[in-house]
Amino acid sequence: DQDGTFDLLDACPLLAGYQSLDFRKSTIINFSDNRPKWQIFDQGREVMQTDAGDLSLLLANARFGSFQLSGTLFVNSEEDDDYIGFVFAYQSNRRFYLVMWKRRTQT
């Protein structure tokens, strides 16, 4: 995309102006009063939920057409077995795509 960022390091090598998502400009949507705590690191490139709560979404304020997503998603806990995932094509609380994973079956 000729934006000065090497394609290997560029999060969006086909679209100039987007090298990575910046989660410092994100929107948080909570679905209850039991809100988790989100922390943002590495100049907005890394997000961590440090205190578990009820369902919550942290949405990057970026719009893309066709794109290819890559990243790392992990749970740094042996005890916590809540869902983890990511949302794309968010339009409203009822219209979005969700990819999620859970370590084990809820009992």
Side-chain angles (χ1 to χ4, degrees), residues 27-31 38 55-59 90 93:
T27 300
I28 297 173
I29 298 173
N30 295 300
F31 293 91
W38 295 94
L55 177 61
S56 179
L57 302 176
L58 186 135
L59 302 173
Y90 180 89
N93 289 351

Side-chain angles (χ1 to χ4, degrees), residues 1-13 18-19:
D1 61 11
Q2 312 266 328
D3 65 3
T5 301
F6 292 112
D7 285 350
L8 185 62
L9 302 174
D10 197 335
C12 193
Y18 284 102
Q19 293 79 34

